[in-house]
Amino acid sequence: MELKKSPKVDLEGKRNTFLLVGLVLALGITLLAFEWTTKPKKVEGLGQIQTQEVEEEIIPITREQQVQPPPPPPPPKVVEVLNIVDDDVEIEDELEIEDSEADETTVIDVAPVIETAEEEEASDTEVFFIVEDMPEFPGGDLALRKYLASQIKYPVIAQENGIQGKVYVTFVVGKDGKVSNARIARGVDPSLDKEALRVVNSLPTWKPGKQRGKPVNVSYTVPINFVLQ
């Protein structure tokens, strides 16, 4: 038996229309929700600020008590002992003071100073660094520089290696003015040092230095400058 339905009551024909109307309404409500805005209310005041009193804490200042050292002990008492002597006692040992003033007739004995052999040897070997009259090269310092410049022969090995500098040589000018004990005080190169010693040992006789009018041994230092031209 087949079911019969009136075409006016059948809703299947309007199904698509209802679906489209529903979608349009949902879209409209969604757009309205996004576009809905609210205005903030005006605030008449920021409220009241309450102040709270804070009690200031007072911290007492404390100082460390200084420990004083004990007082020094009192000085010992000195008991003076007085010996009472009668005026009638005679003093046997009386101090006699002689007149020590000298006049023209007073004769003063002076013991002669005798130098021993050891003292003479010590004075011969003693070397001074500073004396009243320093040793002097014949003709002075200018003549000494000219002599050194004329006698210096620049070592070939130093020239090839470009070695130059100032060599300080220390020596002793004896009582007789002769040069001895030459040594390098500050060197530059073995070849230059050897040449400087050779030239110093060839120096002629000097005028010896004097201390209190007597010739003495004096230490002397000369710089020898090696310069490549």
Side-chain angles (χ1 to χ4, degrees):
M1 183 175 182
E2 295 181 1
L3 295 175
K4 293 182 181 181
K5 184 179 280 188
S6 175
K8 295 180 180 180
V9 183
D10 188 8
L11 298 177
E12 292 295 334
K14 299 179 180 179
R15 182 177 179 180
N16 293 333
T17 304
F18 290 134
L19 180 60
L20 291 176
V21 172
L23 291 175
V24 171
L25 291 176
L27 182 60
I29 294 172
T30 302
L31 293 176
L32 181 62
F34 278 111
E35 295 295 331
W36 188 273
T37 58
T38 58
K39 295 182 180 180
K41 297 181 179 179
K42 294 183 180 179
V43 180
E44 296 180 356
L46 297 177
Q48 297 180 357
I49 300 175
Q50 296 181 356
T51 59
Q52 184 178 2
E53 295 182 359
V54 179
E55 295 183 0
E56 185 178 357
E57 184 178 0
I58 300 175
I59 301 174
I61 300 174
T62 58
R63 294 182 180 178
E64 185 179 357
Q65 186 177 2
Q66 297 180 356
V67 179
Q68 297 182 354
K77 294 182 180 180
V78 179
V79 179
E80 296 182 358
V81 179
L82 300 177
N83 295 327
I84 302 174
V85 183
D86 295 337
D87 294 339
D88 297 336
V89 177
E90 295 181 0
I91 301 175
E92 295 181 357
D93 298 333
E94 186 176 357
L95 180 62
E96 294 181 0
I97 301 175
E98 297 180 356
D99 188 7
S100 60
E101 293 184 1
D103 53 10
E104 297 178 356
T105 60
T106 303
V107 179
I108 301 174
D109 294 334
V110 179
V113 179
I114 301 174
E115 292 185 359
T116 61
E118 295 179 356
E119 292 178 352
E120 291 180 357
E121 291 179 0
S123 61
D124 291 339
T125 58
E126 185 178 4
V127 178
F128 293 84
F129 292 91
I130 298 176
V131 292
E132 295 174 355
D133 297 329
M134 293 296 292
E136 184 179 353
F137 184 81
D141 293 338
L142 182 59
L144 175 61
R145 289 196 292 269
K146 289 182 179 179
Y147 178 86
L148 295 175
S150 63
Q151 296 296 320
I152 286 291
K153 296 180 180 179
Y154 214 110
V156 178
I157 187 172
Q159 292 181 5
E160 293 176 352
N161 295 323
I163 301 173
Q164 59 183 357
K166 187 175 291 185
V167 180
Y168 289 84
V169 183
T170 300
F171 54 91
V172 176
V173 179
K175 294 180 180 180
D176 53 358
K178 294 183 179 180
V179 174
S180 62
N181 298 333
R183 60 182 179 85
I184 300 297
R186 189 173 70 184
V188 176
D189 182 75
S191 59
L192 299 183
D193 298 347
K194 183 178 180 180
E195 177 63 18
L197 286 175
R198 185 193 68 80
V199 174
V200 169
N201 287 324
S202 68
L203 289 173
T205 303
W206 290 46
K207 179 181 178 181
K210 292 183 179 181
Q211 180 71 10
R212 297 179 181 177
K214 294 182 180 181
V216 292
N217 303 322
V218 182
S219 178
Y220 202 89
T221 302
V222 294
I224 301 177
N225 196 14
F226 291 86
V227 181
L228 293 173
Q229 295 179 356

